[in-house]
């Protein structure tokens, strides 16, 4: 971003991007509900895979339109590109492996008997969920929000504000609510 945004334009960009993120998810859900009235699958995981892909497509398209057409910027202005660092895929494999080891040590690991087809669907579901939520959340919070705030104010605001907001938007997804649970979510989500 070569120009420094005004406070109004910065807040507008953040609000519009977040609203489009929600609208994209809603439109995707409505679209997939319509499609699934005519198409049925035996395994519910197939539905989830298609929903993840649809969510990604709708939200990404709306964010792209917002950035390129409304604000006349590029994703690259927000540090969003398709260049991968070597440590990204390595971390993506090591983190789940670490969690399996932790569960093995804790003695809480259970293995379900699944057919090969079910295992493939579970892997595809995990990959599409990672694409849908991981990539989109990074584009929104670490890309658009962070770079906009850094451009307008400074790196401290750019790091803390999106991180705090990221944790707050996950509160409605909690399975049970308690003051301690919410505090843990906010601290963990912000960190």
């Amino acid at each position: 971003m070569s120009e420094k945004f005004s406070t109004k334009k910065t807040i507008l960009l953040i609000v519009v991007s977040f609203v489009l993120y929600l609208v994209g998810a809603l439109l995707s859900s409505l679209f997939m509900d319509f499609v699934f009235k005519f198409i049925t699958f035996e395994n519910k995981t197939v539905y989830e895979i298609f929903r993840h892909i649809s969510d990604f497509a709708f939200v990404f398209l709306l964010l792209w339109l917002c950035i390129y057409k409304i604000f006349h910027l590029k994703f690259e202005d927000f540090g969003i590109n398709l260049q991968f660092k070597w440590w990204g895929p390595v971390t993506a494999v090591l983190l789940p492996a670490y969690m399996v080891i932790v569960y093995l040590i804790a003695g809480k690991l259970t293995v379900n008997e699944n057919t090969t087809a079910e295992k493939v669907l579970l892997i595809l579901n995990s990959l599409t969920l990672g694409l849908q939520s991981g990539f989109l959340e990074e584009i929104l919070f670490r890309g658009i929000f962070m770079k906009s705030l850094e451009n307008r104010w400074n790196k401290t605001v750019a790091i803390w504000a999106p991180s705090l907001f990221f944790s707050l938007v996950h509160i409605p997804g909690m399975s049970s609510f308690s003051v301690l649970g919410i505090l843990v979510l906010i601290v963990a989500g912000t960190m």
Side-chain angles (χ1 to χ4, degrees):
M1 280 183 266
S2 57
E3 68 175 278
K4 194 155 181 97
F5 287 174
S6 66
T7 300
K8 182 179 176 181
K9 188 171 182 177
T10 301
I11 292 171
L12 181 66
L13 175 60
I14 290 170
V15 169
V16 168
S17 299
F18 185 70
V19 168
L20 289 177
Y21 184 91
L22 298 175
V23 167
L26 176 63
L27 290 175
S28 167
S29 184
L30 292 171
F31 173 73
M32 293 312 294
D33 287 348
F34 176 77
V35 168
F36 290 145
K37 285 184 179 183
F38 306 103
I39 300 172
T40 57
F41 298 103
E42 288 182 34
N43 191 315
K44 75 172 190 153
T45 307
V46 176
Y47 290 105
E48 293 174 16
I49 292 168
F50 280 109
R51 284 191 181 276
H52 299 280
I53 294 168
S54 174
D55 256 11
F56 180 82
F58 274 85
V59 173
F60 187 85
L61 177 64
L62 287 178
L63 290 175
W64 181 84
L65 287 170
C66 171
I67 297 302
Y68 280 87
K69 300 299 181 184
I70 297 173
F71 289 94
H72 306 290
L73 298 166
K74 298 179 228 162
F75 274 147
E76 291 81 12
D77 295 328
F78 299 95
I80 303 165
N81 57 50
L82 292 176
Q83 297 173 349
F84 292 98
K85 305 278 192 242
W86 67 269
W87 50 265
V90 170
T91 304
V93 171
L94 290 179
L95 280 175
Y98 169 75
M99 290 310 301
V100 168
I101 292 168
V102 168
Y103 277 104
L104 283 171
I105 292 170
K108 304 263 183 188
L109 183 68
T110 58
V111 178
N112 296 327
E113 295 292 326
N114 293 317
T115 65
T116 303
E118 289 171 329
K119 289 176 186 173
V120 168
L121 284 176
L122 287 172
I123 291 168
L124 283 174
N125 191 26
S126 297
L127 291 173
T128 56
L129 176 62
L131 176 73
Q132 179 251 335
S133 60
F135 273 74
L136 290 177
E137 287 175 0
E138 290 301 314
I139 287 170
L140 187 66
F141 291 100
R142 302 289 177 250
I144 297 169
F145 286 13
M146 187 177 274
K147 285 293 186 182
S148 298
L149 292 169
E150 181 182 357
N151 177 274
R152 177 65 190 113
W153 287 287
N154 58 49
K155 286 186 180 191
T156 303
V157 171
I159 291 169
W160 285 102
S163 298
L164 179 61
F165 188 60
F166 176 81
S167 68
L168 295 175
V169 298
H170 284 82
I171 291 174
M174 293 177 66
S175 56
S176 64
F177 294 94
S178 68
V179 173
L180 182 61
I182 292 171
L183 287 174
V184 167
L185 177 74
I186 290 172
V187 170
T190 303
M191 292 297 124

